Amino acid sequence: MESTEDINTSQFIAHLSGAVSWPGHCYWGKLAVMRAAKAAGMRMRRPLVITDRAAWNAGATVVTQALAATSNNEFQVFDGVVPNPSLAQVRAALQLARKFQCQSIVAVGGGSVIDVAKVVYGCLCSGLEPDELATVRGQAWLEGAVSADDLLLLAIPTTAGTGSESSSAALIQGEDGRKHLYRSLRTRPAFVALQPELTLSLPFGATAQGGFDAALHALGAWVNTDPSPIGKAIALHALRVCMRALPAALDNPDSLSARSDMQMGAYLAGVAIGICKVDAVHAMCTPLESRVKKPHAEVLAPLFRVVSRYTIQTDAQAYADAARQLGFGNTRDDHQAALSLIEKIEQLASHAHISLHFEDLSLSEQDGNLLAHQALKSASMPLNPRVLTHRQISSLYLQMVA
Ligand SMILES: [Fe+2]
């Protein structure tokens, strides 16, 4: 048996050691919501449904039937989540949960809804206020171990994109207007129901933006330097699924099979980023989103065009490997193969009507420096295949708007 001393003195090789924390129970396909609710059993007590108006319109019947089948006829609904949610929505939902002594949370909606639900859930379990969850004390709770006694969080996505249902992250805008990232395995939903019919009514724009975001999650988790073989396998498969499913869902929005694939691709990409994180494209996106009021995917795309091309100048291998495994990098030249993958992703953006350029954004040198400073705080930044310095990041922001 290996002693602690042996472990301490062993020469660890990064890619030969690691751990994975699997996401919770996932049900997909026909009657997924009903099956997940039944499987949650006694843990589904006095639920608070957190949602937004559009998502609740799409999901109310299915969710109400599932709750009724599990003897949960009395549930509360908070339908006040808005895109790019802030602490105000977290506080309002938390107040309702505490007032009615809710013992479980059911999130019905897209990434914003699930992000709010995660933070409300964290406050409900820890007894902390939303402000406190962002402090050292809150961080200690967020980093704690998942317990079988924890309250239930069930996520029912009505979009396919952010992967919030399977990732450990939640983005909430703070009082200062900046987005705060809460990262915790404890607030990752223990149960997920992927019922594709709930995404059938998604309009072209939401389908396009969600799908493109999911593809860049998968690609970011695949190309970055995190060594997890499990995360890499899931990321590559998620990329394959997203690149096939997004055009299919855009061209055939009534196709349950295309919607199902897109939902699974986004879920898998969320699992991958929960294990591996992402790359400089997402790391540089978060600070820019505090200044640019555009959907996430429309901020990602211009960054992707510039950052990925800069990265493959010196570190093309992972991009080239993906291109070859997906069947369109038919060249021995790594840079050329990598470029073919980048161009495929850009074609995907074009298919999704997502611009690769900002038409109306200007940034000064000072802006670039400030954004670079903030981007360097992201845990994904040091994982970019090409290590980027403050000066390089600042320069890339300026190149993007040139
Ligand atoms: Fe994203």
Side-chain angles (χ1 to χ4, degrees), residues 139-155:
Q139 198 59 37
W141 185 88
L142 290 169
E143 289 172 4
V146 177
S147 161
D149 299 332
D150 285 345
L151 305 181
L152 174 81
L153 174 54
L154 163 63

Side-chain angles (χ1 to χ4, degrees), residues 194-332:
L194 305 176
Q195 192 156 320
E197 72 201 59
L198 298 183
T199 65
L200 282 175
S201 60
L202 263 188
F204 183 94
T207 305
Q209 286 157 11
F212 188 72
D213 183 26
L216 288 200
H217 288 165
L219 180 61
W222 167 259
V223 298
N224 79 10
T225 57
D226 182 283
S228 167
I230 296 170
K232 294 301 175 194
I234 296 172
L236 185 62
H237 186 60
L239 182 60
R240 189 191 309 274
V241 174
C242 289
M243 291 187 73
R244 183 185 64 218
L246 179 54
L250 291 173
D251 295 345
N252 303 290
D254 297 330
S255 162
L256 210 51
S257 130
R259 294 290 193 177
S260 178
D261 282 352
M262 193 60 254
Q263 220 177 18
M264 183 53 79
Y267 171 83
L268 290 172
V271 176
I273 63 174
I275 298 171
C276 295
K277 301 188 176 64
V278 266
D279 61 354
V281 177
H282 262 83
M284 291 173 66
C285 186
T286 306
L288 194 57
E289 280 181 304
S290 299
R291 300 177 58 116
V292 181
K293 303 301 174 203
K294 279 177 178 289
H296 181 52
E298 291 182 21
V299 184
L300 283 173
L303 279 167
F304 173 76
R305 172 180 58 83
V306 172
V307 175
S308 61
R309 279 186 167 72
Y310 188 72
T311 297
I312 67 163
Q313 284 175 10
T314 56
D315 294 83
Q317 186 73 56
Y319 293 82
D321 287 348
R324 291 178 184 124
Q325 297 215 41
L326 297 181
F328 44 77
N330 191 20
T331 163
R332 287 186 180 178

